[in-house]
Amino acid sequence: MLGVGGGIAAYKACEVLRRLTESGHSVRVVPTEGALKFVGAATFEALSGQVVTADPFDDVHEVPHVKLGQNADLVVVAPATANIIAKAAHGLADDLLTNTLLTARCPVLLIPAMHTEMWEHPATQHNVQLLRSRGVIVAEPASGRLTGKDTGKGRLSDPAEIVELARLLLVRRDALERTLEGVHVAISAGGTREPLDPVRFIGNRSSGKQGYALARVAAQRGARVTLVAGNTADLATPAGVDLIRVGSAVELKDAMHKVAADADVIVMAAAVADFRPTSLTGHKIKKTSADPDPITLTKNPDILVELVSARREGQLIVGFAAETGDDTTSVLDYGRAKLRRKGCDLLVVNAVGAGLAFEQENNAGWLLSADGSETPIPHGSKAQLASVVWDAVTARSTEPQ
């Protein structure tokens, strides 16, 4: 069930609806009367293929104010206005949507959207905490342009992000429990680019999607997240995440050392180039009839090893290893050797190649631990893999010292 509140961001619910239906889900839209002033019922009906109403007295013989919540596998409210959050927190039920929220026994995901002052008001914050204490998932809002010229925290999350969170909850209803409250997480993502001249570079196929999924899930689990991103194919910044953009491996190294200084957990998910050109040409290399000069390469710093060496007591470090096997050694064996060499606490090993990991929506692999344990990660969304990683981080953080 997709609830739609009466805020200007209601128009984005159409994209959420489209993505959910196109991925195979049956979606019943339940707007408020205010939402229907922004988006007409005909639009929601055309996209969902189902009747849309805000009135609990429509089709009374079907008892919709009870049946909708009882029959749903997931309830998502986007946008969830300050008014809806207040009503949900205090059990008010004066329309079809708020009645449904009282009868739902499935996971409920509220995606806030409101002005910064409204989000930060003590009443709203109290209502959010009250709902979370009851098991309702109130997502962290995004930051950016609001209504008019205002900017700040309270922007509706990107529709693709809302759908990713929804799909994750359909697989794991506990995936967004706030197990990382008070934890500062530093994550690297995307591929680095090593310039050859002003227009060319050496790069790799990493899209940054896995690192962004790690940041997205961590933020919704309550962590303070700093994301250091290389080339990430214009991915939208996850809600509740502080973003730092970099280009080369050296820039990534400098940024990660800086943010790692007060981080509790460091995750190196970026695909860092192993080598860079020894020299940078100040002008575009011209194409001539002669063969081009060879490109001389030098090693880039091993950022993960440096972070492990510089770690402070109690800091947890997670690495990623993108591997291909060969005739003598498997992907997993290469991963085991890399874990020993890098010295991190946890290492996620991915098989890469055509249609695997890089530039894909899904991922799989193994989670290796310095204590010798190995956890297979089945094929699923990158948000699912992120949840496995954060489960392991939480488990290690709560172990007796």
Side-chain angles (χ1 to χ4, degrees):
M1 198 200 85
L2 176 61
V4 184
I8 183 62
Y11 76 94
K12 295 184 181 179
C14 298
E15 178 65 11
V16 174
L17 173 58
R18 184 187 67 80
R19 287 174 176 266
L20 286 171
T21 55
E22 287 185 357
S23 60
H25 299 291
S26 173
V27 186
R28 175 71 182 265
V29 181
V30 180
T32 64
E33 289 290 351
L36 292 177
K37 293 182 179 180
F38 291 102
V39 181
T43 300
F44 291 131
E45 289 180 349
L47 291 171
S48 69
Q50 300 197 46
V51 172
V52 172
T53 180
D55 191 343
F57 292 100
D58 286 344
D59 299 316
V60 157
H61 65 287
E62 296 180 357
V63 200
H65 72 288
V66 173
K67 293 297 183 183
L68 287 174
Q70 289 178 335
N71 295 337
D73 296 305
L74 174 68
V75 174
V76 180
V77 182
T81 61
N83 187 47
I84 288 176
I85 290 173
K87 287 181 178 180
H90 297 283
L92 300 181
D94 60 356
D95 60 10
L96 187 56
L97 175 55
T98 50
N99 271 274
T100 302
L101 291 176
L102 283 179
T103 61
R105 295 298 180 265
C106 59
V108 175
L109 172 62
L110 304 184
I111 309 292
M114 64 197 74
H115 266 68
T116 306
E117 294 84 355
M118 299 174 73
W119 171 253
E120 294 177 347
H121 194 282
T124 303
Q125 289 302 303
H126 173 75
N127 292 333
V128 167
Q129 293 306 318
L130 186 58
L131 287 166
R132 285 174 175 168
S133 72
R134 297 178 186 151
V136 176
I137 302 144
V138 184
E140 290 295 319
S143 296
R145 182 72 179 269
L146 305 172
T147 306
K149 297 181 180 179
D150 293 339
T151 60
K153 191 169 186 178
R155 180 182 173 89
L156 188 74
S157 299
D158 186 77
E161 177 168 347
I162 296 170
V163 172
E164 183 175 6
L165 295 178
R167 294 178 66 189
L168 177 60
L169 288 171
L170 287 169
V171 176
R172 280 191 54 182
R173 64 184 300 154
D174 66 340
L176 298 179
E177 290 184 354
R178 295 182 72 82
T179 58
L180 296 174
E181 293 273 13
V183 177
H184 179 202
V185 174
I187 303 171
S188 68
T192 61
R193 292 180 169 181
E194 311 302 321
L196 288 166
D197 63 21
V199 298
R200 300 182 180 93
F201 59 86
I202 297 174
N204 57 58
R205 292 173 51 204
S206 174
S207 64
K209 291 178 181 178
Q210 184 61 73
Y212 273 55
L214 285 156
R216 180 173 297 115
V217 174
Q220 299 305 340
R221 286 196 178 197
R224 177 165 70 93
V225 182
T226 305
L227 178 61
V228 179
N231 175 46
T232 54
D234 299 322
L235 298 178
T237 304
V241 171
D242 295 323
L243 180 68
I244 299 172
R245 292 204 176 275
V246 296
S248 67
V250 172
E251 290 174 356
L252 180 64
K253 181 194 81 164
D254 292 343
M256 284 303 296
H257 276 288
K258 185 175 180 179
V259 300
D262 72 340
D264 302 297
V265 182
I266 301 168
V267 183
M268 277 294 298
V272 183
D274 293 322
F275 306 97
R276 68 181 185 274
T278 302
S279 59
L280 172 63
T281 303
H283 54 82
K284 179 182 176 182
I285 301 171
K286 305 301 182 186
K287 182 179 180 181
T288 66
S289 58
D291 290 336
D293 293 332
I295 299 171
T296 305
L297 301 176
T298 187
K299 283 186 177 181
N300 269 325
D302 192 320
I303 304 172
L304 180 56
V305 169
E306 289 187 3
L307 292 170
V308 169
S309 299
R311 81 159 93 195
R312 46 173 223 282
E313 186 175 354
Q315 196 173 54
L316 188 66
I317 301 181
V318 183
F320 270 68
E323 294 289 349
T324 58
D326 53 37
D327 293 338
T328 62
T329 308
S330 69
V331 168
L332 187 52
D333 284 334
Y334 275 124
R336 291 169 178 147
K338 183 166 285 189
L339 176 62
R340 293 190 294 269
R341 190 167 66 252
K342 302 290 187 179
C344 51
D345 301 289
L346 298 167
L347 185 75
V348 179
V349 182
N350 302 128
V352 296
L356 296 174
F358 285 158
E359 301 176 310
Q360 305 300 309
E361 298 301 322
N362 297 325
N363 208 347
W366 299 265
L367 180 62
L368 310 185
S369 173
D371 64 13
S373 62
E374 300 181 356
T375 304
I377 304 175
H379 188 264
S381 72
K382 292 187 173 180
Q384 288 175 245
L385 187 147
S387 296
V388 173
V389 172
W390 295 126
D391 287 344
V393 167
T394 301
R396 289 182 67 96
S397 300
T398 55
E399 289 175 355
Q401 301 299 314

